[in-house]
Amino acid sequence: MTALPVILDVDTGVDDALAILFAVAHPGIDVLGISCVAGNASLERVVENTLRILDVAGSPDIPVAAGARRPLIEPARSASHVHGEGGLGTLRLPPSDRSALPISSIELMHTLISQSAVPVTLVALAPQTNLALLLRQYPDIADNIERIVFMGGSASVGNATAVAEFNVWHDPEAAAIVLDSGVPTFMYGLDVFNQVGVDENVASALLEHDSAVGRTVGSLLTNRVVLGSDKSSEYTGLIGDAGAVCALVDPDALRTELRPVRVELGGYGRGQTLVDLRRWPGEDVVHGLAEEWETVEIALDVDAPRYARLFLETLGLA
Ligand code: RIB
Ligand code: CA
């Protein structure tokens, strides 16, 4: 089986790190490059975390580059209450001898996609600022993009706000530009993201694993989300972004539908992905009020234990 050529766009953070480890380890994925963006942590932190995780993975020399330092309109707003100040929870990794390329990640993605003999799959695991800039600067690049698989959005609950998911909320304009690009898009949103986790006893045992990958995964999975001012915290064990990469190699574990989607840009709902799940047209259509929304393949359900098993087995941890 020929490995799928993939570019990852990350804001390495805890679950981006899990996704990178999985993508590098899976034989069906060929990571051409990694583009970094501010999100969970600052751009500098994201780049450094990415390089250090590639060391843990024992990865070949994959090109890494830094992209946008902040969203198109909003200031950068980190998710340190989830990922910690350094972006990798309590995990502390030694500095890497690797370095990011001295070019923008938009240039890196443009070069890698242009030079690829087959269309490239873009996997966006972060605010989509870099993808929006790429598509605005080089619109023709879309001709050699197979599809954009993004972790983001939700057809139901939010996390950054009651209705908006962090990646889309962080840069709603960028997400709207990506959906409007004409590139086929696949949304791995919170509807499935929030389901795929590893049991706490399994994650805790990994902390004592005899491999650096095992101990790193154990630390990342046991990272606890701080719940509020009393600093209480909760175990989630979610593989997070890694689930979106699992979707590349095991799509049959998902239930998906092609649905109209719009990114809300105003009001309290700013950053919400409005997903039209109706079974038949409503009065907006009947009275000619409906607007044209983009059609997106949405993951609405997942065989969660199957992805948790795939993740651990691919990393040699189950
Ligand atoms: O809402 C979850 C998403 O936001 C994940 O990609 C996480 O890493 C953060 O980027
Ligand atoms: Ca992420």
Side-chain angles (χ1 to χ4, degrees):
M1 173 181 72
T2 307
L4 185 72
V6 160
I7 294 172
L8 304 178
D9 190 77
V10 299
D11 59 338
T12 311
V14 167
D15 58 327
D16 303 73
L18 294 171
I20 293 168
L21 290 171
F22 178 81
V24 168
H26 197 284
I29 296 171
D30 176 15
V31 181
L32 302 179
I34 302 180
S35 163
C36 298
V37 69
N40 288 323
S42 69
L43 181 60
E44 289 73 13
R45 218 38 270 152
V46 167
V47 171
E48 187 57 35
N49 290 342
T50 300
L51 297 172
R52 295 185 185 191
I53 284 294
L54 288 174
D55 286 345
V56 173
S59 162
D61 189 18
I62 294 175
V64 175
R69 184 172 304 281
R70 57 165 287 188
L72 298 178
I73 305 290
E74 302 284 354
R77 296 186 179 101
S78 75
S80 56
H81 65 297
V82 174
H83 299 266
E85 286 309 315
L88 293 178
T90 56
L91 180 66
R92 296 293 177 265
L93 295 174
S96 175
D97 291 335
R98 299 171 194 250
S99 54
L101 295 177
I103 60 171
S104 153
S105 72
I106 284 80
E107 297 309 320
L108 174 62
M109 289 194 282
H110 178 253
T111 301
L112 291 172
I113 296 167
S114 304
Q115 292 178 353
S116 177
V118 296
V120 173
T121 297
L122 277 185
V123 181
L125 304 174
Q128 298 171 30
T129 319
N130 290 339
L131 274 70
L133 292 169
L134 171 72
L135 291 162
R136 279 288 191 263
Q137 189 171 347
Y138 302 106
D140 295 345
I141 202 68
D143 296 340
N144 208 31
I145 299 174
E146 175 70 21
R147 63 175 179 153
I148 294 171
V149 174
F150 70 94
M151 191 282 123
S154 170
S156 53
V157 69
N159 57 7
T161 73
V163 294
E165 176 279 328
F166 178 82
N167 286 334
V168 176
W169 170 83
H170 200 263
D171 198 339
E173 282 74 20
I177 288 169
V178 168
L179 290 189
D180 182 47
S181 67
V183 176
T185 47
F186 180 94
M187 181 172 120
Y188 185 91
L190 295 181
D191 314 277
V192 288
F193 177 100
N194 285 341
Q195 293 190 51
V196 186
V198 172
D199 292 344
E200 187 165 9
N201 60 322
V202 172
S204 300
L206 288 174
L207 291 167
E208 309 301 324
H209 200 270
D210 56 13
S211 73
V213 168
R215 292 190 299 275
T216 299
V217 168
S219 175
L220 294 168
L221 287 174
T222 54
N223 176 59
R224 300 170 71 88
V225 178
V226 175
L227 294 180
S229 55
D230 64 355
K231 299 300 178 201
S232 60
S233 66
E234 181 178 318
Y235 175 82
T236 67
L238 295 179
I239 70 170
D241 287 332
V245 187
C246 289
L248 301 179
V249 296
D250 187 13
D252 293 343
L254 295 167
R255 179 173 70 81
T256 71
E257 293 182 14
L258 282 173
R259 287 289 177 173
V261 178
R262 190 186 86 172
V263 178
E264 188 57 77
L265 298 177
Y268 175 82
R270 178 167 163 78
Q272 179 179 12
T273 47
L274 301 176
V275 180
D276 191 343
L277 292 171
R278 288 177 291 180
R279 290 174 54 199
W280 51 75
E283 279 63 24
D284 56 347
V285 173
V286 170
H287 295 289
L289 302 173
E291 301 163 354
E292 274 305 306
W293 291 14
E294 302 304 327
T295 299
V296 179
E297 186 177 8
I298 314 273
L300 291 171
D301 205 355
V302 59
D303 179 342
R306 179 164 155 178
Y307 272 10
R309 193 165 52 248
L310 171 63
F311 173 76
L312 291 173
E313 288 175 352
T314 299
L315 292 175
L317 300 177

